Amino acid sequence: MEVVLRAVNISKSFGGVRVLDRVSLELRRGEVKLLVGPNGSGKTTLLKCLNLLYRPDEGSVLLDGVDVTAPGVDERAVRRRVALVFQEANLFSHMTVIDNVAVGPRVVRGLPRERAEALAREKLELVGVGPELWRRYPAQLSGGQRQRVAIARALAMEPEVLLYDEPTANLDPAGAEEVAEVVVELARLGVTSLVATHDVKLLARLRAEAYLLVRGRVAFSGPLGELLGAPFDGEAGAFVRALAKSLEAVARLGRA
Amino acid sequence: MVGTVLEYLQLILDGLRFNLVIASSSFLLGLAAASALFAACVASSSARRAVEAYARVVRGVPPLVLLAAFFWLVLPALGLPRDPILASIAAFTVRSAAFQVQILRSVGLDEGQLEAALALGMSGWQAATAVALPQSLRSAAPALTNEFSSLLKESTQSLALGVADALARARYVSIATGYSLAWVLTAALLIYLVSLAAAKASRAVYARLAIPGTVASGVVLWR
């Protein structure tokens, strides 16, 4: 399969601190990849660079082979094609569930209201948010429901790539479970995804190729199993050992 | 005797309509202008600096100076008639927009929601008008009511341009009746009652606009 999204040596600094240091990665069409790393390793910054919410200081991002970090590229068109699901769902608090999902197609893609709402209904059904919730407001939903609506909102832009920034991190186990199910189901349906997460249950179920990001650098890329067995020093080592332990603990619980 | 009192009261009430027209027109026009300025502030940092400068200057100028400037300079320069009511509405609109845009900016924005709007591919202006403005208008409703009350009281300064508003008339009546303070207090009471009605109306609007599932700040929603 051809590469949809490719980052080539991107770097990003904030106030003299180099948050990303020559990061490269690639994502093929229909593929799911994982992005792991300690807090503060630059995962969120990387995702925001990939959909141009942040502009990389150096390096380039290629979407379908086109350098979208080149001057003159319409970054809004890129954001539409590379959707981002935030750690906090960040739903629009004054809009109903259906409006939250329909507003992007309506305002950004210029679809008429009926078509935008039909699209929203379709995406909400896809993430398992039923009609009984469509007229509710974000504050009236559970955490898991909110995050699923946020995923539907991203899908309604019909993006080529879906980026997840720790989608289950702020949820209770039930919420995390419902969101993980959606992420796994979308992966099965062939939605090209890059999933940044520490959630061991989600990692175990996706069991994909992973990038390990430590202090803004890619310390490893390859299958998750290999990552867990690889010897690392320092921060990377501590993180990977802890991750492997948690995965084992989850596996043991599953067998018990 | 009673007839004369009623006539005086009628005279003052007739003047109250000037206060109402000036205060509500400049409030609504100021709100529209402030909404556009607010959205521009959210969408662009250079617009934000320009709006901040405008608000700083206008808020520092005494209302009487603005009234005179509009009456003697701005209206003639625009080829408009030198009408005291028109000049008052224009001056107070410009003044109130400066206050109202600061009120809208003070209620706080959810940066995460704005970022989510941009991540969908919205422009800064689209994110500002679709996400930021509707939420800020809701949260700012109580403070905006105060602004209307202020305008109602400031509108009495239009006397400087010859507008015979409720307070101006009360003072004439007071002089005609041997400096009876009661008439001035009557005008004050009328203006107070209008303020009170506006506050009540605003609470009703605020309760209706409250986002379901969230607690509206400072307002008890009676069921």
Side-chain angles (χ1 to χ4, degrees):
Chain A
M1 284 299 244
E2 84 276 34
V3 175
V4 186
L5 187 66
R6 186 198 295 273
V8 185
N9 287 324
I10 57 175
S11 299
K12 180 77 185 168
S13 300
F14 292 104
V17 180
R18 210 167 167 83
V19 180
L20 293 180
D21 189 8
R22 283 163 291 155
V23 172
S24 296
L25 61 77
E26 60 178 44
L27 208 55
R28 291 166 190 282
R29 199 173 297 288
E31 177 182 54
V32 176
K33 275 190 174 166
L34 305 168
L35 180 60
V36 297
N39 284 336
S41 60
K43 298 189 296 295
T44 299
T45 304
L46 175 58
L47 296 179
K48 287 182 179 175
C49 281
L50 291 176
N51 89 334
L52 300 190
L53 270 179
Y54 295 159
R55 210 160 244 291
D57 299 331
E58 293 156 38
S60 36
V61 176
L62 283 81
L63 184 56
D64 287 329
V66 176
D67 183 355
V68 294
T69 40
V73 172
D74 178 5
E75 53 192 37
R76 288 166 51 204
V78 175
R79 290 181 196 153
R80 210 169 101 178
R81 292 165 63 195
V82 183
L84 175 57
V85 174
F86 295 84
Q87 183 171 345
E88 316 273 344
N90 286 340
L91 295 181
F92 307 130
S93 52
H94 63 299
M95 293 183 194
T96 59
V97 164
I98 192 104
D99 286 342
N100 259 282
V101 183
V103 68
R106 212 156 47 73
V107 171
V108 179
R109 298 172 62 195
L111 298 187
R113 180 175 283 277
E114 296 78 56
R115 276 196 45 211
E117 284 189 3
L119 187 64
R121 284 193 291 273
E122 177 197 318
K123 300 305 177 191
L124 284 165
E125 298 274 15
L126 185 61
V127 299
V129 173
E132 71 282 0
L133 298 177
W134 293 351
R135 295 289 156 204
R136 292 217 190 153
Y137 286 81
Q140 298 170 312
L141 302 178
S142 71
Q145 290 168 338
R146 275 203 281 274
Q147 194 58 287
R148 282 186 288 148
V149 174
I151 295 172
R153 178 173 68 177
L155 290 172
M157 301 312 288
E158 308 200 300
E160 289 172 61
V161 178
L162 194 49
L163 310 173
Y164 298 91
D165 188 4
E166 304 198 28
T168 58
N170 286 337
L171 301 174
D172 64 21
E177 184 58 29
E178 14 175 305
V179 172
E181 265 171 32
V182 171
V183 175
V184 171
E185 173 65 9
L186 291 175
R188 201 186 57 78
L189 292 174
V191 175
T192 313
S193 313
L194 180 62
V195 188
T197 184
H198 302 294
D199 181 341
V200 285
K201 284 169 72 188
L202 184 55
L203 286 173
R205 286 162 73 176
L206 288 171
R207 231 193 305 260
E209 301 242 324
Y211 289 96
L212 171 64
L213 200 62
V214 180
R215 290 173 186 263
R217 292 188 184 180
V218 175
F220 173 92
S221 77
L224 187 63
E226 255 175 55
L227 167 74
L228 297 171
F232 290 101
D233 296 332
E235 203 180 338
F239 176 78
V240 170
R241 281 192 298 276
L243 195 62
K245 256 189 178 165
S246 313
L247 274 163
E248 268 171 37
V250 168
R252 269 201 306 277
L253 269 178
R255 282 195 300 272
Chain B
M1 175 64 195
V2 172
T4 324
V5 167
L6 281 179
E7 265 172 47
Y8 283 152
L9 195 58
Q10 182 64 48
L11 193 72
I12 294 171
L13 272 173
D14 270 352
L16 190 62
R17 74 198 146 98
F18 293 119
N19 301 95
L20 287 174
V21 165
I22 293 169
S24 35
S25 309
S26 44
F27 176 76
L28 292 175
L29 292 170
L31 182 60
S35 299
L37 294 176
F38 169 79
C41 284
V42 174
S44 121
S45 52
S46 47
R48 188 174 66 237
R49 280 189 293 276
V51 169
E52 275 166 4
Y54 156 77
R56 217 176 11 253
V57 171
V58 169
R59 287 184 305 155
V61 175
L64 280 177
V65 175
L66 276 181
L67 284 172
F70 271 86
F71 187 72
W72 296 106
L73 298 174
V74 180
L75 290 189
L78 295 174
L80 293 166
R82 265 213 302 260
D83 177 76
I85 305 284
L86 190 61
S88 300
I89 290 173
F92 283 120
T93 296
V94 165
R95 178 173 158 79
S96 189
F99 281 95
Q100 294 193 53
V101 74
Q102 294 302 82
I103 292 172
L104 288 174
R105 292 183 57 202
S106 72
V107 293
L109 273 183
D110 183 338
E111 294 288 337
Q113 291 185 38
L114 270 186
E115 201 169 41
L118 295 179
L120 290 175
M122 286 192 197
S123 66
W125 179 258
Q126 286 170 337
T129 51
V131 177
L133 184 60
Q135 295 187 25
S136 293
L137 280 174
R138 280 181 174 83
S139 322
L144 291 172
T145 315
N146 287 344
E147 172 59 15
F148 176 75
S149 301
S150 297
L151 276 171
L152 202 57
K153 284 164 275 184
E154 284 175 5
S155 68
T156 59
Q157 299 193 30
S158 295
L159 169 64
L161 302 182
V163 176
D165 77 314
L167 187 61
R169 289 167 187 234
R171 284 158 73 186
Y172 299 145
V173 173
S174 161
I175 292 166
T177 53
Y179 295 96
S180 153
L181 197 59
W183 292 109
V184 177
L185 291 176
T186 304
L189 180 68
L190 288 174
I191 289 174
Y192 168 76
L193 288 176
V194 174
S195 272
L196 201 66
K200 257 192 121 60
S202 141
R203 269 198 294 276
V205 170
Y206 193 48
R208 267 193 73 90
L209 289 180
I211 298 162
T214 60
V215 179
S217 58
V219 171
V220 180
L221 299 177
W222 297 100
R223 287 267 169 240

